[in-house]
Amino acid sequence: MKIDRTVVRSLALFDKMADADLDRLLSHATSRRIPQGEAVFEQGQEATSFFLLLHGRLKVTQVTEDGQQIIVRIVHPGDLFGFAKALRRSDYPGTAIAAAESVALSWPTEIWPDFVEQNPRLAVTTMQTIGQRLEEAHTRIREMSTQEVERRVAHVVWRLCQQAGKREPNGIRIDFQISRQDIAEMTGTTLFTVSRILSAWEARGLVEGGRQKLLVRDPEGLSQLAEGAKE
Amino acid sequence: MKIDRTVVRSLALFDKMADADLDRLLSHATSRRIPQGEAVFEQGQEATSFFLLLHGRLKVTQVTEDGQQIIVRIVHPGDLFGFAKALRRSDYPGTAIAAAESVALSWPTEIWPDFVEQNPRLAVTTMQTIGQRLEEAHTRIREMSTQEVERRVAHVVWRLCQQAGKREPNGIRIDFQISRQDIAEMTGTTLFTVSRILSAWEARGLVEGGRQKLLVRDPEGLSQLAEGAKE
DNA sequence: CGTACCCTTGAGGGTAGTCAAGTGGAGTGG
DNA sequence: CCACTCCACTTGACTACCCTCAAGGGTACG
């Protein structure tokens, strides 16, 4: 399948790559449409491909043996994901589900070494990405250890604002369907607590809720909450 | 400073490396003794070196702006640590403190590229290491989200058993000084709760405590607790 | 022997989890 | 177009786990 290089040219990941190299890379790629609610891959499944999200939004989840679920991260357009093999894992550690209609490129894991070799920048970028991911995880651990729920929720919503926010007349819209349950799984709490917190915020004019919708009316106030402002 | 290659030869990291290459690598290294309680590097400090722990035990900690502290991980002999630059960070994200008298090799960060280039195995191993680290972090997040404190403490102690355990007539000794506070900072709880839990375990014959000491008398029982056995 | 520092234990209270019941919006099918 | 159903969400009551604070004991070390 031929993929037009202009589609990916705008991504930071590829912006320094020569057209010829890029074409060669893309010649091995296949494009895939993922309808909302469908999984790109499932936890424990053998890792046969790695991916690049072009459009849409994914939730990466993990479930424990006893059925509890958490959201590991949200994949945004331009992010690499599912590169388990790069970390020498043979299976995917989590499940990637489309939170919105999405489009991703995929490559067979076998070509990962070529992928990296042909473009050393990629190796560096990948390292950085994983490093960032590790830092984020540590931040999350720190927050879960030391901060109370409301502040953690504020932080998550604030980050979603920056990574998936869309300007609207009344504030910033989180640009994909996200439930209270999702937010709970991102912050280590329950959907009830999240609901109560959002209700309280709505009463204060900070946000505006809805079924799987969220509009932040006062980003400034939210950020202050996330930073630990007393009230 | 000349470092004898036999010192590091036994480490998995180097076991496939030719003597000549190893010598070249070691020619750039300096050895450093860290007395108990002293820091190898501090959080926020510019990353000028990366390290390999030869002997002893380190605690890597992070502090939040408001002074709360957590233990990110324990460094065991044979582990690489402080390779911030590999992740394109200019400063160390945490503080590394010697929990016991320790010895580490250090290299200037500038030679990291050479380090990796001369031995591709190292690049792979490092990737793996970081990947593992990321997985551990996610495990920890999952546990903090879904499990209660006692089980988290059981899990941490169980892992310390495996990574820093020393057989003794009555059980397995955690082979370095570790306080209740330390365990609290590893599990996201308080020293009071840890103390209570350990006391309860001691009453059940699971462990034997002491001032900064811990002996696991019933590893089997502990592992069951960590796995979620009801009682 | 004195003095830190680590640990233990108790009492009390608050944050957030659990459970239950009910509301309302979105989508579906008649 | 309307009724029906499903499911996300809300809200209340209750509970409990664990944090906070306070006081005291034990152990290592100078």
Side-chain angles (χ1 to χ4, degrees), chain A residues 20-93:
Chain A
D21 289 342
L22 191 49
D23 282 346
R24 198 139 55 94
L25 218 54
L26 291 179
S27 71
H28 295 284
T30 57
S31 169
R32 178 166 159 197
R33 198 188 128 270
I34 307 109
Q36 188 176 116
E38 198 170 285
V40 183
F41 52 77
E42 309 241 1
Q43 182 172 0
Q45 190 177 310
E46 203 199 341
T48 54
S49 307
F50 62 94
F51 306 85
L52 173 69
L53 187 65
L54 291 181
H55 187 77
R57 210 69 68 166
L58 304 178
K59 299 184 288 194
V60 180
T61 63
Q62 286 184 353
V63 288
T64 58
E65 314 88 53
D66 54 334
Q68 296 265 34
Q69 185 171 121
I70 65 155
I71 294 185
V72 175
R73 69 175 183 121
I74 303 286
V75 180
H76 305 281
D79 288 355
L80 282 173
F81 66 101
F83 45 94
K85 271 285 173 52
L87 308 173
R88 306 288 139 173
R89 272 192 69 104
S90 60
D91 59 344
Y92 296 113

Side-chain angles (χ1 to χ4, degrees), chain A residues 54-208:
Chain A
L54 291 181
H55 187 77
R57 210 69 68 166
L58 304 178
K59 299 184 288 194
V60 180
T61 63
Q62 286 184 353
V63 288
T64 58
E65 314 88 53
D66 54 334
Q68 296 265 34
Q69 185 171 121
I70 65 155
I71 294 185
V72 175
R73 69 175 183 121
I74 303 286
V75 180
H76 305 281
D79 288 355
L80 282 173
F81 66 101
F83 45 94
K85 271 285 173 52
L87 308 173
R88 306 288 139 173
R89 272 192 69 104
S90 60
D91 59 344
Y92 296 113
T95 298
I97 290 185
E101 164 102 15
S102 299
V103 179
L105 291 184
S106 77
W107 288 267
T109 48
E110 301 91 72
I111 75 151
W112 176 260
D114 295 350
F115 195 87
V116 168
E117 206 170 296
Q118 277 179 33
N119 185 350
R121 238 183 92 84
L122 277 181
V124 170
T125 316
T126 309
M127 268 286 202
Q128 272 183 53
T129 305
I130 298 177
Q132 270 173 24
R133 202 94 36 99
L134 188 59
E135 262 184 80
E136 280 166 24
H138 284 157
T139 302
R140 208 162 146 185
I141 290 172
R142 224 174 30 225
E143 289 181 352
M144 294 189 63
S145 299
T146 63
Q147 298 175 3
E148 54 188 31
V149 173
E150 183 174 22
R151 192 164 160 192
R152 302 204 304 262
V153 174
H155 188 210
V156 161
V157 175
W158 174 240
R159 274 233 324 235
L160 286 176
C161 254
Q162 300 176 298
Q163 299 178 330
K166 207 170 79 180
R167 283 227 61 86
E168 280 195 7
N170 293 331
I172 301 176
R173 161 85 46 206
I174 305 299
D175 196 23
F176 62 99
Q177 293 207 359
I178 184 166
S179 68
R180 307 289 184 266
Q181 176 73 39
D182 290 335
I183 297 178
E185 288 175 11
M186 285 192 269
T187 50
T189 181
T190 62
L191 86 119
F192 306 103
T193 301
V194 172
S195 177
R196 274 184 248 273
I197 288 172
L198 290 184
S199 296
W201 287 356
E202 189 149 13
R204 287 166 54 188
L206 270 174
V207 301
E208 215 166 274

Side-chain angles (χ1 to χ4, degrees), chain A residues 85-88 127, chain B residues 13 112 116 119-131:
Chain A
K85 271 285 173 52
L87 308 173
R88 306 288 139 173
M127 268 286 202
Chain B
L13 192 60
W112 175 260
V116 168
N119 186 349
R121 239 184 93 84
L122 276 183
V124 170
T125 316
T126 309
M127 268 287 201
Q128 271 183 54
T129 305
I130 298 178

Side-chain angles (χ1 to χ4, degrees), chain B residues 11 49 170 199:
Chain B
L11 298 175
S49 308
N170 293 331
S199 295

